[in-house]
Every structure is written in structure tokens, then in C-alpha cells.
Amino acid sequence: MDRIDVRLLEQLQENADRSAEQLMEDVPLSASAIQRRIRRLKDDGVIERVIAVANPRKVGAPVCCIVSLEIERERPELLAQLRRWLNHERQIQQAYYVTGDADFVLVVAAPDMESYEALMARLMHDNANVRRFTTNVSLGPVKRGLAVPIDGA
């Protein structure tokens, strides 16, 4: 990636809905050259996907919980089973396999605490390898995003 790719990617991470013509204001290329670079970034896997970021309160998922999971054993087949389960649960926005006291950290968006409690009851029922979980309920976002800092920016 050259410095133009970096600048383009920074702009797209901020707002991927901008047209090539709008991106020309910040990237010194023609609209067609910008479109070619975006296509290449997608083809090369630099841009994994383009998504819309919804406001949780406006779509009925205002409760945000940060959850730490501890597991009993780190056997590969048990980890694979838990990962599949986590990937299929819509309320789980993000899941990380981590070092430290917890084994996994989850970000959960739920419509209310009852729904969150039901999710965690299913988690414990369906995954006997989960020893325990700890929940932190978010009082409000300070920063929310998925933009990756890029070297050369």
C-alpha cells in the first residue's frame, strides 16, 4: 500500500458511503482511479466488508454488556464448539479469545436485561465448558468504532 491507499482507506473507514467523486476532495486521484484502488483493496482482502453502523438505541438494542468468560479446559474441540456458538448468536457483536484472567471477552447488544440474562442462560446450558462469566454493563459509550490505525497515516 502506498500513501494514497492509506489516505483512501482512512477516509473509507470514517465513512464508506462517500462516492468516488466525494473522495476526490481528500485523495488526489480521479474518480475512476479511486474506484480501481477501492476494488483492488477489496480484492486483496485489505477491505474485508462494507457495513452500516446502526445506532443501538434506535434499533431496539440499547443495553451494552462487556462479558468476560472463563472456561474449564482449552481443548481444541471444546474451543471450536464455543467459537461456533458465539458466532451464531446475533446479540454477540464481538468476541475475542484473550490472555489474562478471562479466556474470552464479548461485547453484547441486547434489547433489555431479561434478553441478556436469557442469552447467558443459553450460553451456560449449551456450553458446559464455560466455568463462569462476569458482566460489566455499559453506562454509555465513550468511543465506539472499528477503524484500524494504519502505518504511514
Side-chain angles (χ1 to χ4, degrees), residues 13-123:
Q13 286 190 107
E14 187 175 314
N15 181 1
D17 200 30
R18 293 177 64 192
S19 68
E21 289 76 19
Q22 291 169 320
L23 289 166
M24 287 172 46
E25 297 170 14
D26 296 301
V27 179
L29 294 174
S30 68
S32 60
I34 287 172
Q35 289 170 336
R36 282 192 301 275
R37 282 183 181 248
I38 291 171
R39 171 59 42 214
R40 191 188 77 242
L41 290 169
K42 288 178 179 180
D43 290 345
D44 291 348
V46 175
I47 297 175
E48 291 183 355
R49 64 182 188 235
V50 179
I51 61 169
V53 179
N55 180 322
R57 293 192 184 285
K58 294 194 178 201
V59 297
V63 177
C64 177
C65 297
I66 313 317
V67 184
S68 300
L69 298 181
E70 292 179 36
I71 58 175
E72 293 287 341
R73 294 175 280 312
E74 295 196 45
R75 292 194 351 231
E77 67 276 9
L78 296 174
L79 288 173
Q81 175 190 348
L82 178 58
R83 284 182 169 127
R84 281 190 302 275
W85 194 94
L86 295 171
N87 274 303
H88 286 94
E89 286 296 328
R90 290 179 38 135
Q91 290 183 37
I92 298 174
Q93 292 183 300
Q94 298 176 49
Y96 299 95
Y97 186 41
V98 299
T99 61
D101 293 334
D103 298 298
F104 287 86
V105 174
L106 316 177
V107 177
V108 177
D112 50 45
M113 286 308 294
E114 292 80 18
S115 176
Y116 170 74
E117 289 173 6
L119 171 71
M120 298 317 289
R122 282 195 321 275
L123 169 83

Side-chain angles (χ1 to χ4, degrees), residues 114-134:
E114 292 80 18
S115 176
Y116 170 74
E117 289 173 6
L119 171 71
M120 298 317 289
R122 282 195 321 275
L123 169 83
M124 297 302 287
H125 177 268
D126 295 348
N127 299 279
N129 193 37
V130 176
R131 179 183 309 147
R132 72 172 151 243
F133 65 91
T134 305

